[in-house]
Amino acid sequence: MSGRVFALVLLITVVLISGVYFAFTYQPAVDESDDSSTETLEADTIPENKFKDIDLTVFNGDDSVSWQIKSSDISSFSQGELLKLSPLKLTAYDENDEVLYTITADYCNYRSALGEMEITGSVVMEKDELRMMTAHLDWDRDEELIRGSGGVSFTSPSYQLTGGRFQANTDFSQITVYKDEQERAALLWKEVGKGS
């Protein structure tokens, strides 16, 4: 009987020691081909590269407007397809390299493959004597439109206009301001050329 007890105690001891050993040394296999949301989340939260003092140029769909983007802090995600910039200084130029307007903001997310830009924070656009302030700007290269939301105000020496959101073409020569998100009222402001 004591031989059976000894064998049972020995078996239990071996099982316990093996369990402790595997608990500390076992690493589960990771499926590299799995496109889980956790990997996507990590790809957008852990930068692959960080840079300082970046100067980058982006063009609209027909190359009629270019944006010179400057930022003191830039992080690259998803093999460089998502760039996060902070703070942002953007200068827009026409085809003749004349300055159209400038935009400053706290943050910018630029998705290079999609041609999309999201600008947030204290967004300020200045064009001649016109100054626009909003909380959020979106640009899509395919649509050739800039959209602002989160409240917007336009001021110039002769007027002040406020609304809930707006949309403009890429050179800001045509701007539509909406009263609120439901589009109950709108004002169309169109720039006219000199001598008109």
Side-chain angles (χ1 to χ4, degrees), residues 128-146:
D128 302 322
E129 295 183 323
L130 177 67
R131 180 180 173 96
M132 181 272 305
M133 297 177 70
T134 190
H136 189 115
L137 280 183
D138 286 309
W139 168 69
D140 185 328
R141 181 175 50 222
D142 294 335
E143 291 186 1
E144 293 293 326
L145 290 173
I146 296 173

Side-chain angles (χ1 to χ4, degrees), residues 15 34 44 46 101 105 143 148 162:
V15 168
D34 183 25
D44 286 349
I46 301 171
Y101 54 87
E143 291 186 1
T162 59

Side-chain angles (χ1 to χ4, degrees), residues 53-69:
D53 300 321
I54 294 299
D55 192 342
L56 148 80
T57 302
V58 176
F59 293 88
N60 69 341
D62 63 3
D63 295 341
S64 62
V65 177
S66 63
W67 291 284
Q68 181 184 31
I69 298 172

Side-chain angles (χ1 to χ4, degrees), residues 14-47:
V14 169
V15 168
L16 286 174
I17 291 173
S18 299
V20 170
Y21 172 78
F22 284 116
F24 286 111
T25 60
Y26 176 72
Q27 295 290 329
V30 177
D31 184 4
E32 298 288 331
S33 66
D34 183 25
D35 255 354
S36 67
S37 60
T38 305
E39 290 176 5
T40 304
L41 178 64
E42 287 179 4
D44 286 349
T45 57
I46 301 171

Side-chain angles (χ1 to χ4, degrees), residues 69-88:
I69 298 172
K70 292 186 178 185
S71 179
S72 59
D73 184 29
I74 184 169
S75 298
S76 171
F77 298 82
S78 304
Q79 285 99 29
E81 290 187 7
L82 171 62
L83 302 177
K84 294 190 176 195
L85 303 98
S86 173
L88 170 78

